[in-house]
Amino acid sequence: MSISSTDHPTAPGSDRQDAPDAPTRPGAYRRDLDGLRGVAIALVVAFHIWAGRVSGGVDVFLVLSGFFFTGMLVRRADSGSVGVLTTIRRTLRRLLPAMVVVLAAVVVATVVLLPHTRWSNIAGQTLASLFYYQNWYLALSWSDYLAADPSVSPLQHLWSMSVQGQMYLVVLLTVAAVAWVLRGVVRAGAWKLAAEYPLLRRIGQDGMLRLTLAVMFAAAAFISFRHAGEGVSTQQGWNYYDTFARAWEPLVGGLLALAAPLIRLPRPTREVFAWTGIAAIACCGWMVNGSLVFPGPAALIPVLATAALILAGAGRDTADQPVVNRLLATGPVVQLGGFAYALYLWHWPMLIFYLGEQHQRRAGWLGGLVIILISLLLAFVTHHLVEEPLRLRSRPAATPALGRVLAGVAVSTVGVLLVGSTLAWQWSMGAKAHAVGELDPAKYPGAEALTDHALVPRAPMRPTTEEAPADIPYPTRDGCISDFDTRAVTTCTYGDRDAHRTLAVVGNSHAEHWIPALQILGEQYRFRVVVYLKMGCPLTVAEEPVYKGQQNPDCRDWSSEVIDRLGVERPDYVFTTATRPSDNGGDETPQDYVDVWSALSDRGLQLIGIRDTPWLRRNGIRYRAIDCLAGGGDRLSCGIPRAEALNAENPAATPAAAFPNMHLIDPNDAVCEHDICPVAEGNILIYHDEHHLTASYSRSMAPELARELQPILDWW
């Protein structure tokens, strides 16, 4: 984002020599846009802390980054050379020091405040942020940027810095390449021949650079905009972080940098542009839910609003600018914009760590004010002690050379230690994470401690908190479950592959985590287990299925094909989940599940609906068992009261009564005690994350699952 003044037309590498009342000629200093940066960061912080919504401020920053950076590059090209390596070095020197300081602080806070089970993920995101690929890291996990609770990463907000860094590189190389080609044309004498045409003569060599870039930027922005619009309705979780979907926003800023010097608007039009623009930016967060629709067409609101403010003040003396632009150019707003970059870096980790310590989902008014004040103080200190000393052309009187050297050495040392420590974390945790394999049932009775009152000897819990993330169901391990972005139906066979009786396991990961138990039963009682699985997609017939609040049309299309295939392949039984957690506590059977039963019944299929196992939640916030245990909890204190996880009666019972072919099973007495659903039982850890069974515990449930299934299947 153009949060940092790095991307200002006078930066990097030049002093601010234009007086405040100088005309805003091409390349002149725009104090009003510094002020706009301040307004945008204020909206970002306020909406993150108090509203739990996206404000549109990030989109303002992306447009400004394209405007400032493109304008700077074109002016350098006009004066001789873009200087690719010099520009990269200067830009990184302006952006990285503050980033390194904040990342180092987050790493220290992670060690002090968070359980070691979260260190590896934070380490991965630290490296992703430092090397500007954090947006892709988050896209692969569909992280919800709307969410701000203790389970969210304190580095999640840095996705936008990665988008900005990637776009900087692309724009830099594009401008440099076009300028190099045009210089070659001039050196070859071809320009003299081309200049015989009156139009080219009027455009001139500098104009030809701008015209070529404008055509390229416009074409790329159009393609990116189309891509973003399609992504909103197909894979918004990925789309939100996708650089290709975001590219049109900084490219619009680049087009403004190329076109603004040629545009002269009448005073009434500029006033309308300015007032409309600032109003749209201020209200954007309430007008649309940006996390669900940006950077699609809805992002035109903040993008066009920013463009209107840029054009309203273009090419005019400060005194002749609209009232809004003059207000944006006032001291306090400009000063806030001056350290907006540092404030953006600090506010999100402050919010996430605060929520973690308070065990809350919202900071509240008082807590929010505390977060803002501390973030402002840290941003001010970072700006003046880290950013300013390392300015490429700092004024000697303000920043002695020795101070610059010491600041540079300190930041470099911290950076090296940061990379080394995060790599060590990842290696250490990665080496410990692995599936545990078969466990001795005498030492590790697991579910049988509940169902058969098996003796539980003293033995270390397995899988351990380090092993658990890799103790996953077989389909995920084998690539036999379609991921969030895969539309194709993937099938695999478990159990007795040569058997003639077939149990089809259908749905999402909560159907999948029964495969280790069903694998044992299939081999023992000679039946095949064929999986039809997709992440985040419990079989649906809804026209607009939703996952994490986002449309998921792949789930609809995948489900339609699976239902049709089941009707043709006709397995003996279809095994799927019949309930899910309710937002208000307990569990429920949504109408969509019942509609699926109806669709399968119409095809004459026999159904087995299994009641879902409890999800670990406190105050509506999901948490991982391994984090709670690593933080000092035990198997009971880290568990969830049974009454909060499960209704007294199976909610699927009433709707299932209308379907003679629907058979319900409820294995939760093998997961929960009378009053509590613990996170470990019979020396085996139950959950490998917030709500999925470990493969080890699933295997221990095979005897109980056999008792539940025998009266239905009658295969043994």
Side-chain angles (χ1 to χ4, degrees), residues 6 8-9 11-12 67-77 87 91:
T6 298
H8 195 280
F67 177 76
F68 291 148
F69 198 65
T70 301
M72 177 190 68
L73 295 176
V74 170
R75 287 190 298 276
R76 287 184 177 176
T87 301
T91 302

Side-chain angles (χ1 to χ4, degrees), residues 2 36-37 40 56-65 281 302-303 306:
S2 180
L36 178 58
R37 189 186 287 118
V58 167
D59 305 88
V60 173
F61 295 138
L62 287 173
V63 175
L64 290 176
S65 72
I281 289 172
V303 170
T306 306

